[in-house]
Amino acid sequence: MAQADHLSDALKKLKLASADSATDSVESCLDCLLKALAHNNADASEKVQEMGVLPLLPTLLAPQSSCTPKVANIIAEVAKNEFMRSPCVEAGLIPPLVQLLHSKDQEVLLQTGRALGNICYDNEGRSAVDQAGGAQIVAGHIKSLSQNTDPDNGKLLTVFCGMLMNYSNENDSLQAQLINMGVIPTLVKLLGLHSDNTALTEMCLIAFGNLAELESSKEQFASTNIAEELVRLFRKQAEHEKKEMIFEVLAPLAENDVIKLQLVEAGLVECLLDVVTHTVDGERDEDVAQLKTASDLMVLLLLGDESMQKLFEAGKGSVFERVLSWVPSHNHQLQLAGALAIANFARNDGNCIHMVESGIVQKLLELLDRHVEEGNVTVQHAALSALRNLAIPVVNKAKMLSAGVSDTVLKFLPSEMPPVQFKLLGTLRMLIDTQADAADQLGTNAKLVERLVEWCEAKDHAGVMGESNRLLSALIRHSKSKDVVKTVIQGAGVKHLVVMATSEHMIMQNEALVALGLIAGLDLVEAEKDFVGAGLVQVLHKLLSDERTAPEIKYNSMILICLNALPLHKEVQGLAFIDVVSKLRSHENKTVSHQASLTEQRLTAQS
């Protein structure tokens, strides 16, 4: 007889035998079915479905029956096929399977765990297991079994962990349910006690990877010793795949600042530096992948204030030294990570001052020089970010200017990449803050001013647009130079500063008004037609009559009126400015009310 006929025969017998509950004949039918499933699972499963065998199985899942493990095994095998999972749920198999989780028999538990795990691979199965309360029972088993390191027990734990993983995979609410049951501390303990059991360790890692995506898991992870366990496990691994699995858990966990510090204290950084050393010259894809993952993770650890400061060790830290040595590397990924690491170390004045003294600026400039032609945009962006941060403390500005930072940065003016444009602008703005000579030199650079004016119109890139406006204003405010004002007027920059005065950010409004005041004070004759063309008087009128305008904006607007009153006389009168200004004499802010009186006198004297 052919295999298929045997199977049909057995399934017919099974239907009859299960009705009489004749155990012996049921057993032999089940054996025949398991054999067929082992031979060709999909075909045999289809046959089971066609002949309506699934609805017979709940009665065969009696806790006392000797054939129960076989029936559960059959369900587990059948449910490996996607098309069989819904029918298993519809046949009512979930409640009796969940009841079997209360059994004391190891084999019953093992096969039941497999069956539920496979059915749970789909949503329908999950909600049925959820309703029957299956996850709670399994979580309880894992907790009580976790202390026992007997090999058979390891197998059962692996199956149970796999079941919970399938149950909650990519399902936020079920993951949250497991977290609330306290699964995380149990799994972390499991990892520590069973680190020699490869299959179980992998299950734990995949489960961690799933759960770590949820924000709410991070607090629970932080209260366990997950950092030590993962670092210990990482040190033991030789294979690329195993390391990658651990990396996939480390990355989401390291987004949490408490865990960042725990990972640093557990010695993860040394492991990462080792990976870098071993893979930097590797040609294989896996070397390239590991180098990227390890260096990215290193940068992520430096995003936490405490972990970063611990690794900086007042600039004497070996980690700090190693990461610096990445900048001149021949490897783009390491150059990138090195520059990003410097940008992260440069998050407070003390660190910035120390780094500039230790000669980092030169390394960054050399790196940028290597990336001017056909450069790597991410490296350009990272190196400029680092320079921008280093330029924040006042004592660093002059040093960095004399090291030639602005000349190198200007080489990137032709860049068409908004992220690079944005950082370039930010770096120049930080450098010239309070530095009159540098502002004068850059502000009379017609090429730069022309590019700024162009970027002031970059409607698609609000960041670049905002930064260009701010740099244009800063060049005037810090140089207070007539030549700079002339360059900006000739480059058609005035209208952008007038528009900037209407920004929703108060700091930008203020910077614009101060710059416009300097233009009016230094070269009113040249600027007049631009002021009229850009509707300056109307903008000032609106700022003064709007209740929501901040006091310092009102004050600076009136100063500007006084500076401009003569040439813009007609417009000022036409808009009945005196009424708006005289209302401000009773403003609660003394500086504003005082300036309102002065402005009113000025306007009255001229009318």
Side-chain angles (χ1 to χ4, degrees), residues 384-413:
L384 289 168
S385 297
L387 287 172
R388 181 196 174 280
N389 289 2
L390 290 170
I392 293 172
V394 177
V395 291
N396 283 355
K397 298 181 196 293
K399 288 180 183 167
M400 290 176 70
L401 285 163
S402 58
V405 172
S406 58
D407 300 337
T408 302
V409 170
L410 286 172
K411 291 177 186 171
F412 294 91
L413 261 189

Side-chain angles (χ1 to χ4, degrees), residues 75-113:
I75 297 170
E77 288 302 316
V78 165
K80 284 178 176 174
N81 303 286
E82 196 179 337
F83 66 89
M84 290 300 280
R85 289 177 198 142
S86 288
C88 283
V89 176
E90 285 151 20
L93 296 180
I94 299 283
L97 283 170
V98 169
Q99 280 314 302
L100 288 177
L101 289 171
H102 294 295
S103 166
K104 297 275 176 278
D105 181 315
Q106 188 111 5
E107 183 61 19
V108 170
L109 287 174
L110 190 71
Q111 299 302 347
T112 306

Side-chain angles (χ1 to χ4, degrees), residues 2-11 28-48 73-74 77-78 81:
Q3 178 96 27
D5 301 336
H6 261 313
L7 179 59
S8 305
D9 231 25
L11 292 174
S28 66
C29 299
L30 293 175
D31 288 337
C32 178
L33 178 48
L34 277 169
K35 219 186 217 149
L37 284 164
H39 177 71
N40 185 335
N41 191 320
D43 286 359
S45 296
E46 221 164 297
K47 202 84 180 162
V48 167
N73 185 2
I74 286 170
E77 288 302 316
V78 165
N81 303 286

